[in-house]
Amino acid sequence: MRTTVGIIGAGPAGLLLARLLHDAGIDSVVLESRDRAYVEQRQRAGILEQGTVDVLRAAGAGERMDREGLPHDGIELRFAGRRHRVDFPALTGGRSVTVYAQTEVCKDLIALQLRDGGPLLFEAEALAVEDTDSPRVRFRHEGAEGVLECDYVVGCDGFWGVARKAIPAELTQVFERTYPFGWLGILADVAPSHDELVYARHDRGFALLSMRSPSVSRLYLQVPAGTEAEEWGDEEIWDELERRFETADGWRLERGPITQKSVTPMRSYVHEPMRHGRLFLAGDAAHIVPPTGAKGLNLAVGDVVTFARALVHREETGSAELLDAYSATCLRRVWQAERFSYDMTTMLHRVPGATPFEDRLQLARLERIAGSRAAETDLAEGYTGFPFG
Ligand code: APR
Ligand code: PHB
């Protein structure tokens, strides 16, 4: 097989890149190791920045998002029994976010790709990227090995993918931090108990109330690293969530049948550079943020928009300047999101064994946001998104 751009991975990054290239008249082939059902049901992110919404609309993937997505103008912070709402448009000159699950983004992009895009091969596992100057992707599909020859290859294969390994270790710098906790996430058939997301800092640990629709809630509970979802019974989860969302005004958390339960580990990770020869990395293949800041999918979108723009520029002008600047351009935005996600995570999660001094510091950071427009604006700007490169 031969194509202009070989794309490894059909998550949000790989699927959106295929669409952007198609719209620019550039052919690509997407190799995805799992089957379509897996990709379309894998519960992960749920918040789209305005920039992401705009890109999806321009790519023709906005029709259902505009119909079913939930525009949100703020979030609520909870701490020490208090409630503080952060008003995004008032603090950012009109920006907001949209609640629309990445499972739905992937379904919409897969439908477009199958309708009029290039080859999207499911259950096609990339085994290795060879010769990054004249890239070849060795892959296994339907029991046979194949080779995809391409002018460029973009690793959109997530944290556990293979593309990153093709960059020589001696040219690589990895920055990472793991956390002693993760998130136990549930989907529940019950109307969300609040009309916006609620981020709660509690002495027992962090909790987050989010949603998927007016009748489906998505909630998360900080748990120790290594926790298995099966360790928690349904009523135990609701009891703990209730404790952590408690407020002085007696706000109530509505319960309902839990339909899905899973644990997400917590990690900060950046792989530099994000390009080697004609191999480019995008999305979780290059960087991971703790989900507290809801940046993961939005960073992936920024990366592939940057790559597509750079390749179109190369095709139109012959200049590789934007391709040469790809890594630096993406990393400027990645590091801002890493900083924001780290700040949100360390402010809201109670580390086991935290000292009374550290507890007070967390409350002081939250008090600062509740009492300072400047501090509140920093959170609102980070949450609604940093400009694309
Ligand atoms: N060959 C082919 N496909 C692979 C391989 C491989 N060797 N390894 C991994 N994949 C596929 C995975 O099955 C997955 O579908 O690559 C895809 C990577 O998708 P994501 O992990 O979702 O990564 P990305 O597209 O960068 O999305 C980033 O979106 O899902 C949200 O918040 C989440 O931060 C994440 C963000
Ligand atoms: C989600 O709805 O899954 C979600 C929302 C906000 C976050 C993380 C996850 O910070």
Side-chain angles (χ1 to χ4, degrees):
M1 292 176 75
R2 172 151 196 85
T3 188
T4 302
V5 182
I7 299 172
I8 306 175
L15 290 167
L16 178 58
L17 177 57
R19 180 50 39 182
L20 294 174
L21 295 175
H22 169 271
D23 291 348
I26 298 172
D27 61 289
S28 69
V29 170
V30 181
L31 302 173
E32 165 54 52
S33 55
R34 307 299 291 262
D35 63 23
R36 178 175 179 179
Y38 170 87
V39 172
E40 294 188 346
Q41 59 74 41
R42 187 185 183 200
Q43 281 299 329
R44 296 184 77 192
I47 301 294
L48 307 184
E49 297 171 2
Q50 190 59 51
T52 297
V53 167
D54 296 344
V55 167
L56 289 170
R57 282 186 185 138
E63 190 264 332
R64 190 162 71 99
M65 173 186 68
D66 287 336
R67 197 172 62 246
E68 297 178 11
L70 306 169
H72 277 215
D73 285 345
I75 59 172
E76 180 176 297
L77 299 176
R78 270 194 203 167
F79 58 98
R82 290 178 52 187
R83 306 170 64 174
H84 176 78
R85 180 176 186 268
V86 179
D87 181 340
F88 293 151
L91 294 162
T92 63
R95 297 201 319 234
S96 61
V97 295
T98 297
V99 178
Y100 189 66
Q102 117 280 345
T103 50
E104 305 319 297
V105 172
C106 288
K107 286 175 190 170
D108 296 340
L109 289 168
I110 287 170
L112 285 174
Q113 188 68 1
L114 295 178
R115 184 192 71 190
D116 63 15
L120 164 51
L121 277 62
F122 289 105
E123 297 179 280
E125 181 184 10
L127 304 173
V129 175
E130 294 167 349
D131 187 357
T132 52
D133 290 327
S134 176
R136 286 188 314 281
V137 182
R138 268 189 317 106
F139 66 94
R140 183 184 300 116
H141 181 51
E142 294 175 346
E145 280 210 12
V147 174
L148 174 64
E149 298 189 349
C150 29
D151 296 340
Y152 304 90
V153 60
V154 185
C156 300
D157 47 351
F159 185 70
W160 303 104
V162 294
R164 224 175 28 234
K165 297 171 186 162
I167 300 183
E170 62 272 18
L171 300 178
T172 295
Q173 252 195 302
V174 167
F175 307 83
E176 68 181 318
R177 179 190 180 98
T178 54
Y179 300 84
F181 47 77
W183 282 7
L184 169 62
I186 63 169
L187 274 180
D189 284 343
V190 60
S193 299
H194 196 59
D195 56 358
E196 292 180 329
L197 272 69
V198 178
Y199 287 75
R201 185 266 173 214
H202 191 280
D203 285 345
R204 297 177 64 90
F206 170 77
L208 169 60
L209 179 150
S210 183
M211 67 275 300
R212 288 293 176 265
S213 74
S215 60
V216 177
S217 292
R218 176 72 165 155
L219 296 116
Y220 297 93
L221 199 55
Q222 174 189 340
V223 292
T227 297
E228 299 290 335
E230 295 65 39
E231 295 172 35
W232 284 75
D234 293 6
E235 286 315 302
E236 188 187 4
I237 292 173
W238 285 117
D239 291 345
E240 188 60 33
L241 285 167
E242 202 162 82
R243 292 186 195 100
R244 297 187 188 185
F245 283 120
E246 67 184 355
T247 59
D249 64 6
W251 178 88
R252 262 182 60 77
L253 176 65
E254 298 301 327
R255 303 186 180 203
I258 293 178
T259 58
Q260 208 254 10
K261 214 185 278 187
S262 61
V263 173
T264 305
M266 202 70 73
R267 180 196 320 269
S268 299
Y269 177 92
V270 179
H271 178 288
E272 293 188 9
M274 290 176 57
R275 180 254 178 122
H276 179 66
R278 288 173 169 247
L279 165 65
F280 294 77
L281 302 178
D284 277 15
H287 42 71
I288 297 283
V289 283
T292 326
K295 294 293 110 186
L297 187 155
N298 297 291
L299 281 181
V301 168
D303 292 347
V304 297
V305 165
T306 302
F307 176 79
R309 277 181 190 157
L311 185 55
V312 167
H313 182 71
R314 170 78 170 72
E315 301 287 293
E316 290 177 348
T317 68
S319 163
E321 63 181 338
L322 295 186
L323 284 171
D324 294 343
Y326 171 80
S327 193
T329 303
C330 292
L331 286 169
R332 267 197 299 277
R333 186 163 179 265
V334 166
W335 277 111
Q336 284 304 317
E338 290 285 350
R339 188 278 304 169
F340 173 73
S341 304
Y342 175 80
D343 283 355
M344 286 282 280
T345 301
T346 55
M347 179 172 71
L348 291 164
H349 290 72
R350 191 163 188 285
V351 178
T355 63
F357 174 75
E358 287 159 332
D359 285 341
R360 283 290 187 279
L361 271 189
Q362 282 187 329
L363 293 173
R365 289 169 69 181
L366 286 157
E367 290 283 355
R368 171 75 178 147
I369 290 169
S372 153
R373 189 176 175 85
E376 206 180 16
T377 301
D378 178 58
L379 188 156
E381 288 181 345
Y383 201 94
T384 55
F386 301 99
F388 290 164

